[in-house]
Amino acid sequence: MALLAVGLIGLSTELVFLEHYEDAWMLIPLAVISTALVALALVIMTASARSLRMFQVVMGLMLASGLTGVFLHYQVGVEFQVDMDPTLSAGQLLWKVLHMKAPPMLAPGVMGQLGLLGLIATYRHPALRRDVPATSTGVHS
């Protein structure tokens, strides 16, 4: 969980430094990271089944956000390259987009990696076991 926290804070810091908030689409990663940090704090404080399930949903959103970001970065790269040279073949276009420095096509994959890290951290968490008896109410039969 500490590694996830460092990754989330580092990624959000980088996005702010890169001014990754020029339009609504660019705000999505910052919103998802903020939500992930809140969910992580809840898991650290409570580690209840409910907070863990919510955390897992947010990590799924991180994964989806990363995949969506890769697609969006690819689209922007394709539009730029087609404007520069409309005669590029599909293979040449892909090659050029993969090598672009801005926007870096695979950079959003970090969101997906952090989402997977969070899911791995909670895989088979003891609080999620269904066979764990409910907490005792102090009443014995």
Side-chain angles (χ1 to χ4, degrees), residues 21-59:
Y21 44 76
E22 293 175 4
D23 63 35
W25 285 105
M26 295 175 97
L27 287 172
I28 292 171
L30 290 167
V32 173
I33 291 169
S34 298
T35 305
L37 285 167
V38 170
L40 179 60
L42 286 173
V43 165
I44 291 170
M45 290 187 298
T46 67
S48 68
R50 176 179 245 165
S51 67
L52 284 160
R53 288 292 180 210
M54 183 191 68
F55 177 79
Q56 289 175 330
V57 168
V58 173
M59 291 299 103

Side-chain angles (χ1 to χ4, degrees), residues 7 15 24 28 30 32 34 42 49 52 59 74 77 79 85 89 91 97 104-105 124-125 127 132 137:
L15 289 173
I28 292 171
L30 290 167
V32 173
S34 298
L42 286 173
L52 284 160
M59 291 299 103
Y74 175 75
E79 289 172 12
D85 184 358
S89 69
V97 170
M105 186 181 130
R124 292 192 177 188
H125 192 283
V132 174
T137 60

Side-chain angles (χ1 to χ4, degrees), residues 109-124:
V110 172
M111 292 278 290
Q113 288 176 329
L114 290 174
L116 285 173
L117 179 62
L119 290 172
I120 291 167
T122 58
Y123 181 70
R124 292 192 177 188

